[in-house]
Structures are given as structure tokens and as C-alpha cells.
Amino acid sequence: MTEKKLAIIATKGTLDWAYPPFILASTAAALGYETEIFFTFYGLQLLKKDLTLQVSPLGNPGMPMPMPVPILLQALPGMQSMMTMMMKQKMKSKGVASVEELRELCVEAEVRLVACQMTVDLFEFDTKDFIDGIEFGGAATFFEFAGESDICMYI
Amino acid sequence: MADFDRELDASGLNCPLPILRAKKTLADMESGQVLHIIATDPGSVKDFEAFAKQTGNELMSSGEEGGKFTFLMKKS
């Protein structure tokens, strides 16, 4: 059985959107897929050693709220931190892994993590702030792997 | 005598942790050995079927007992 390949582009840097790439990549690796995640734009936040990901109810009418909060109140200072704290507590109580834990599982399973060099330069990120063992590359690097992948997704 | 070689209690863990823990435990086992898995995630029932199908490990049995899901998986 030849190894299947999964290529993911991770473009979002919020707590909620950190889950799909890491859940799918770690699971694919467990199923025997060779897996690569290409992190670009806000997705680069997911590679920081110190993850300070937040979730925002603003502009997200699909987010289930424990109680209805009018949109203007959602914009008040502190609301985002409060929602983030509540979301993290909820996840913990439901046995959902932390983003750090899922990312660690990906690293252990040798999922290839590639940071988009162009966005690193654009946002002037310090590469020392990223976790060890990642690679840096551009669109052509991504296609080298993605072109041979069985599944390719943009998140 | 227990009819399995190793046991994994994944109670309270949610997707994809039961699968990932099972994969890790199986990696330390010999071919032909049987792993007994306990989980509370209802999604794990379908997930372990799919895991077995894709990895070649045999899902010998799958059941529910008092709100817990139990699986016997033989390493390929």
C-alpha cells in the first residue's frame, strides 16, 4: 500500500480555526498519510511558540452563545478575552484537546510544517518566535508536495 | 485470563484523541496482539471502524456498556 498524501493550507489565526488543520493533520498521520501543512497569512500565528489565539464573537453570527449578546456589546473591550476564556473552558470540559497538544501530536507524527516566507517577511515576524523544526518556503514549495497529494484542502 | 494484551482508557477524551492514543499504543505492540479500548466519545464508534479499515488493524468487536464504548482491536 503506497502512502497517501494530504496537503493543507492554513490561513486563519483564531482559536476556533486553529483546530481543523491540526485535527485533520494529526488524524491523517495516524492513518498513515504523509502530511504537510502550509501556513500563510494569519495561519502563521499557529506556529508561534507562545500561542495567544483568541476567538471573537464579532462578525460571527454562527457562534453559539450561552446568552444572546447584542452586536454592539460584543465590540466592548474585554469581550473577546471573555469569549476566549469561556471557549477554552468549554473545550476542556468536553475533553477536546488544546491546540498546543494537537500541534505537538502533529510534530511527533512528523507532519511537515511549512511557514510561508513571504508572509513572514510581510508581517515582520521574528522566526525565533516560531516552534523548532518548521521549514520556510513559498508557493512553489507547496506545489511540490500538493501536486502529488491525494487530498488538498484550504482552511 | 484477559482476552487482550493491552488496555487504553480514552474516557472523557474527544475526537481525535481516542484514535491518536490508540494509534500510539498500537505502535508499541506486537503484530497479532489485541488492544482493549474504552471511550466515551459517541463519534469513536464510527471512527474506530474507519481507522481499522484504513490501517489494516482488525476491529474484532465494538460494543456499548453503561454509556461507555468498548473496542477490541488486533494489531496487523
Side-chain angles (χ1 to χ4, degrees):
Chain A
M1 198 162 69
T2 52
E3 208 168 55
K4 287 192 179 184
K5 290 183 182 180
L6 166 68
I8 298 174
I9 305 181
T11 64
K12 297 185 178 64
T14 54
L15 176 67
D16 45 351
W17 282 100
Y19 277 89
F22 287 134
I23 287 183
L24 293 172
S26 56
T27 304
L31 293 173
Y33 281 73
E34 189 183 338
T35 307
E36 176 179 308
I37 313 176
F38 185 80
F39 298 85
T40 188
F41 278 79
Y42 317 111
L44 283 173
Q45 301 288 1
L46 312 186
L47 289 176
K48 296 268 186 77
K49 275 179 197 149
D50 187 17
L51 290 175
T52 51
L53 307 175
Q54 296 217 305
V55 64
S56 174
L58 262 188
N60 185 3
M63 182 191 261
M65 303 280 264
M67 65 196 109
V69 180
I71 288 175
L72 279 174
L73 291 184
Q74 291 175 17
L76 289 176
M79 276 301 283
Q80 190 167 297
S81 316
M82 194 179 90
M83 287 309 296
T84 301
M85 206 180 71
M86 285 167 72
M87 177 74 97
K88 282 187 175 170
Q89 276 170 0
K90 185 99 179 153
M91 283 169 158
K92 205 170 176 187
S93 74
K94 297 279 183 188
V96 175
S98 67
V99 173
E100 286 87 344
E101 188 178 0
L102 286 171
R103 183 173 71 178
E104 189 52 42
L105 288 164
C106 285
V107 171
E108 271 176 32
E110 293 176 346
V111 171
R112 227 175 126 200
L113 307 174
V114 184
C116 169
Q117 182 70 60
M118 183 276 281
T119 335
V120 171
D121 295 343
L122 174 69
F123 292 146
E124 297 174 349
F125 281 137
D126 188 340
T127 54
K128 288 201 293 293
D129 292 337
F130 293 129
I131 54 168
D132 297 329
I134 62 169
E135 296 167 49
F136 295 86
T141 310
F142 173 73
F143 279 109
E144 194 183 358
F145 182 84
E148 291 180 349
S149 68
D150 300 274
I151 304 172
C152 185
M153 47 179 80
Y154 180 91
I155 298 174
Chain B
M1 192 183 90
D3 48 2
F4 51 83
D5 303 284
R6 285 279 290 271
E7 188 167 54
L8 170 69
D9 188 356
S11 300
L13 299 179
N14 219 321
C15 172
L17 292 179
I19 291 287
L20 300 182
R21 296 274 159 87
K23 164 79 185 177
K24 207 172 179 177
T25 310
L26 284 165
D28 293 337
M29 293 169 58
E30 307 283 333
S31 173
Q33 285 191 319
V34 176
L35 174 64
H36 182 236
I37 306 154
I38 306 159
T40 48
D41 168 22
S44 64
V45 177
K46 280 215 114 99
D47 272 0
F48 274 113
E49 280 174 29
F51 176 77
K53 221 165 163 179
Q54 292 172 81
T55 56
N57 300 302
E58 184 196 343
L59 184 60
M60 298 161 66
S61 75
S62 165
E64 191 192 345
E65 219 176 290
K68 296 216 171 194
F69 304 96
T70 55
F71 310 90
L72 281 177
M73 190 165 282
K74 189 192 270 184
K75 182 168 175 171
S76 63

